[in-house]
């Protein structure tokens, strides 16, 4: 599970990317990196994930959608849905 889901700090405090050499496999699905399975960094948590697990994008407020891993995207999407639910009941 990515760091943004296990830590109780703001996402912008987590943006220390894990070095490529420190990641032998995808932080989300566990796929082993090789010439066919390439590394990609999630722009939210900094974990190294495979292309399949980093196919989503999220706008963090700068007007540009940034790559996010599946775990972070699901987390942000559910947080947004919860905020919309609260806003629609008021």
């Amino acid at each position: 599970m990515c760091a943004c889901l296990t830590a109780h700090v703001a996402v912008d405090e987590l943006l220390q990317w894990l070095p490529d050499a420190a990641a032998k496999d995808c932080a989300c699905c566990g796929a082993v990196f090789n010439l066919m399975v390439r590394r990609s960094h999630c722009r939210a948590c900094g974990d190294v994930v495979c292309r399949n697990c980093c196919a989503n994008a999220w706008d963090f407020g700068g007007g540009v959608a940034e790559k996010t891993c599946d775990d972070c995207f699901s987390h942000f999407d559910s947080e947004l849905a919860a905020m919309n639910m609260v806003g629609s009941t008021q």
Side-chain angles (χ1 to χ4, degrees):
M1 182 175 294
C2 73
C4 70
L5 301 179
T6 57
H8 298 288
V9 295
V11 170
D12 58 350
E13 294 175 20
L14 290 173
L15 286 181
Q16 289 188 318
W17 284 12
L18 184 67
D20 283 349
K24 302 298 180 206
D25 52 29
C26 175
C28 289
C29 73
V32 176
F33 295 122
N34 56 44
L35 290 176
M36 300 300 291
V37 181
R38 305 297 298 204
R39 291 170 173 85
S40 187
H41 282 91
C42 172
R43 300 306 194 260
C45 66
D47 271 349
V48 180
V49 295
C50 68
R51 180 178 292 175
N52 290 336
C53 293
C54 200
N56 298 297
W58 194 265
D59 182 354
F60 295 100
V64 177
E66 301 281 351
K67 292 189 295 185
T68 58
C69 68
D70 291 346
D71 289 343
C72 288
F73 184 83
S74 295
H75 175 73
F76 296 144
D77 196 45
S78 63
E79 289 290 318
L80 182 62
M83 289 187 326
N84 288 338
M85 292 283 286
V86 170
S88 66
T89 60
Q90 293 179 352

